[in-house]
Amino acid sequence: AKVKLKDRDWNFINQNGDIAFPDKCFCTVDDFSEGYAIVRLKDKGWNFIDTEGNILSPNQWFDDAYSFYNEHAVVILNSGYNIIDVRGELLSPNQWFHWCGKFNNGSARVRLNGKYYYINGEGKLYDEDKKFIRNLRESINGKSIDMIIESTLRKYMKK
């Protein structure tokens, strides 16, 4: 269970009522869901902790995160949405979305450039008619990355 320590720090207690992770303090925590709890560190952002106290994705912190549902969780970084799995891997490391829904029945609905798609647990993108579009976990060449970065920058500079 989550517990507030002092005036601002959070942690968890185990079934014996002992502090579960005495060497850790969090600014904010959420309840465990599917073996992971959302936690926030002041200078890093949002991530997930497992029942052993390990950070799920220690090299990647997020601006916001949602609880795990069907072994996947929605995460937000720089106003982009993505989905992380229980291994700490993004389903689409090279493409962030404008919105992502919960993972359900093997896929999640996502929105990109005003259109809705579905992404499955392997990072494969499908249109609304379930027609395969592309594998978002495949490597893309530098030119494609530059195009994605450029279009993202143009989008946010208009705001």
Side-chain angles (χ1 to χ4, degrees):
K2 61 185 179 180
V3 62
K4 190 170 187 173
L5 306 172
K6 304 177 190 169
D7 289 332
R8 59 184 172 93
D9 295 331
W10 288 84
N11 206 307
F12 297 89
I13 56 172
N14 60 25
Q15 292 176 336
N16 298 326
D18 300 322
I19 299 297
F21 315 115
D23 59 330
K24 294 179 171 59
C25 286
F26 305 102
C27 296
T28 307
V29 299
D30 201 356
D31 294 321
F32 277 86
S33 173
E34 298 187 14
Y36 296 93
I38 302 168
V39 296
R40 184 172 70 87
L41 292 180
K42 183 177 182 179
D43 297 329
K44 291 192 175 193
W46 297 88
N47 212 310
F48 301 89
I49 192 170
D50 67 16
T51 57
E52 301 296 316
N54 301 308
I55 299 292
L56 178 63
S57 186
N59 297 320
Q60 175 70 66
W61 290 79
F62 305 100
D63 296 335
D64 204 353
Y66 296 89
S67 294
F68 270 85
Y69 187 78
N70 289 318
E71 298 183 349
H72 295 83
V74 174
V75 293
I76 301 171
L77 182 63
N78 298 325
S79 300
Y81 288 68
N82 213 316
I83 298 172
I84 193 169
D85 63 21
V86 293
R87 297 171 304 194
E89 295 179 11
L90 294 170
L91 292 188
S92 175
N94 299 312
Q95 177 67 65
W96 288 71
F97 301 97
H98 299 117
W99 173 84
C100 291
K102 282 184 179 180
F103 208 83
N104 198 11
N105 294 323
S107 66
R109 194 167 189 219
V110 297
R111 188 177 76 231
L112 181 64
N113 298 325
K115 293 184 179 179
Y116 287 94
Y117 301 92
Y118 291 92
I119 188 170
N120 71 9
E122 298 171 351
K124 293 179 180 175
L125 190 68
Y126 296 85
D127 67 15
E128 289 198 283
D129 295 325
K130 305 290 184 180
K131 180 182 172 192
F132 176 74
I133 304 291
R134 67 182 169 142
N135 186 344
L136 296 172
R137 282 195 168 163
E138 288 178 347
S139 299
I140 57 178
N141 63 38
K143 186 174 182 179
S144 296
I145 292 172
D146 290 343
M147 289 173 31
I148 291 169
I149 293 170
E150 184 179 326
S151 69
T152 302
L153 286 173
R154 273 197 307 261
K155 175 187 150 202
Y156 290 109
M157 290 186 77
K158 288 180 183 178
K159 287 184 176 184

